Amino acid sequence: MKPARTNHVKIVTLRNAEIRIASDHDELIRIAVEEWVLRAEEAVRKKDCFTVALSGGSTPAPLYKRLATDASLGERLPWDKTHLFWGDERYVLPDHPSSNYRMVREALLSHLDLPAENVHRIKTEVPEPTLAADIYERELRTFFHVQSNQLPRFDLTLLGMGSDGHTASLFPGGVALHETKRIAVAEWVERLRSHRITLTAATINNSATVLFLVTGIEKSAGLRSVLQGESQPDRLPAQVVRPTNGRLIWLTDEAAASRLDL
Ligand code: 6PG
């Protein structure tokens, strides 16, 4: 399949997912910023509000920083109408070095004057991870006005992918992979010997747009398995991400995409 090329990005479709391969890291961030801006403009036009579930880890930090500090974006970013949520969180205090909230605070929030009510942090300071998940779920149900048999619909959900094919805190054998009613759950991740709080796969798949950001050669084997290997979502949780009524975009760099058969 011959990839299309616009600017410095190759675009192909694999299994109904749009794969965009940026020529370099700056191009990748530029594309991600543009996707965020377009989704924000569309959502605010439709309902005067833009909801984003942020991904954690290290990959998205430069994107968050660019969104917060690029003066050329100016009024294209309706921060006062933007509500930030987290796709997952480590069960550590919010100022812990491995906290996803802390990463977003340093890369994004510290540069903005976002109203406190627009930042929907997962409250990991509570005594139990399950309680943190329950509180987060209640906050989401209230904000999105969804009952127990409904799920919230994020305008944009950002995701990363581990080299093992996990995404958010959906890990092999985890509860969140197959849970259909809950919005968020707490998981013990044996491999990491730690608790995580994560949106369930069902909630992620209810998003209007899911944007994966995957970079680096160390992700190339996992990306090939997830996108072109056999379907085994219990071993490769990123395969479970297939929005039921939304767009799925994989934004990668050439290193991460280097093993794809295009
Ligand atoms: C987390 C993330 C996780 C992350 C991947 C990729 O809390 O760690 O949500 O799913 O996106 O592990 O992490 P990197 O971007 O650091 O490679």
Side-chain angles (χ1 to χ4, degrees), residues 54-61 86-90 98-100 103 158-171 191-192 196-198 212-215 218-219:
L54 299 172
S55 68
S58 56
T59 303
W86 275 254
D88 70 321
E89 184 56 278
R90 293 83 180 275
S98 66
S99 162
N100 285 335
M103 180 272 290
L158 296 178
L159 292 174
M161 188 195 78
S163 51
D164 63 351
H166 83 264
T167 187
S169 285
L170 304 177
F171 285 88
R191 186 165 64 79
L192 303 174
R196 296 284 188 98
I197 292 91
T198 185
F212 274 97
L213 292 181
V214 183
T215 62
E218 72 282 2
K219 302 287 177 78

Side-chain angles (χ1 to χ4, degrees), residues 65-84:
K65 181 119 190 254
R66 178 77 64 85
L67 287 164
T69 60
D70 183 343
S72 70
L73 294 174
E75 57 284 349
R76 289 190 71 192
L77 284 170
W79 287 116
D80 59 326
K81 296 173 179 171
T82 297
H83 283 261
L84 302 176

